[in-house]
């Protein structure tokens, strides 16, 4: 801090701060700090789950288990107002069987040995908490079925998500 700051703590007007939010399984409210009028967002959807049988059996066969598809990625600039509250929703990874990731992950079969659920989406909402208040969203990846081919659920990114590459029970 230089003397122009009056001897107290100061932050140059061009300073940047990075804040990372992780999966909590619940929305998080974030209040825009004083002096901030624009934020850069990078939002990542959660990865789809992996079937338990693949985790347990594939290494014994010296093979790679099928994995859940990666979540999508969205980014951009958002004009904001100091004191405004944004709702941050970070999707959670899909789990084995019918254990969808928080924030919209798709469910799968009830057998955690043979299939896995999709990962949850991540999004930022303003002026409300309903889905229509989303200003940016990144989809979650698809869950994988049991298999030892290193393939799995489809990716949840871009304008069009990816196709599943695993067995017949992969969720999308």
């Amino acid at each position: 801090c230089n003397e122009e700051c009056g001897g107290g703590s100061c932050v140059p007007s061009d300073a940047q701060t990075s804040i990372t939010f992780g999966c909590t399984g619940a929305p998080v409210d974030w209040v825009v700090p004083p002096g901030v009028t624009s934020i850069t967002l990078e939002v990542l959807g959660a990865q789809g789950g992996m079937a338990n049988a693949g985790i347990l059996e594939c290494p014994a066969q010296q093979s790679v288990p099928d994995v859940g598809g990666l979540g999508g990625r969205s980014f951009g600039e958002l004009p904001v107002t100091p004191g405004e509250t944004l709702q941050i929703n970070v999707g959670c990874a899909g789990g084995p069987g019918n254990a969808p990731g928080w924030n919209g992950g798709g469910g799968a079969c009830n057998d955690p040995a043979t299939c896995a659920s999709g990962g949850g989406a991540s999004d930022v909402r303003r002026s409300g908490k309903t889905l229509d208040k989303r200003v940016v969203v990144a989809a979650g990846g698809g869950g994988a079925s049991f298999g030892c081919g290193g393939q799995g659920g489809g990716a949840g990114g871009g304008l069009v998500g990816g196709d599943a590459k695993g067995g017949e029970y992969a969720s999308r």
Side-chain angles (χ1 to χ4, degrees):
C1 188
N2 60 37
E3 292 183 46
E4 294 176 25
C5 295
S9 63
C10 64
V11 178
S13 62
D14 62 347
Q16 294 183 0
T17 301
S18 178
I19 301 171
T20 301
F21 295 90
C23 168
T24 63
V28 173
D29 285 340
W30 180 72
V31 178
V32 177
V36 176
T37 58
S38 179
I39 59 175
T40 301
L41 300 169
E42 180 179 24
V43 180
L44 304 172
Q47 184 170 7
M50 195 158 113
N52 286 340
I55 298 168
L56 300 173
E57 295 180 25
C58 296
Q61 298 175 22
Q62 297 183 342
S63 183
V64 178
D66 287 352
V67 295
L70 296 176
R73 175 179 177 253
S74 295
F75 56 94
E77 298 287 324
L78 180 68
V80 294
T81 303
E84 175 181 11
T85 299
L86 300 176
Q87 183 185 61
I88 313 297
N89 299 289
V90 179
C92 297
N98 194 19
W102 181 80
N103 204 28
C109 74
N110 289 321
D111 182 1
T114 61
C115 66
S117 296
S122 295
D123 66 72
V124 176
R125 302 174 194 190
R126 86 176 331 161
S127 304
K129 301 184 184 276
T130 57
L131 293 177
D132 64 324
K133 301 301 181 181
R134 294 179 294 192
V135 294
V136 64
V137 63
S145 64
F146 166 61
C148 296
Q151 299 178 38
L159 295 175
V160 178
D163 289 335
K165 295 177 175 46
E168 59 191 297
Y169 297 108
S171 65
R172 292 185 60 175

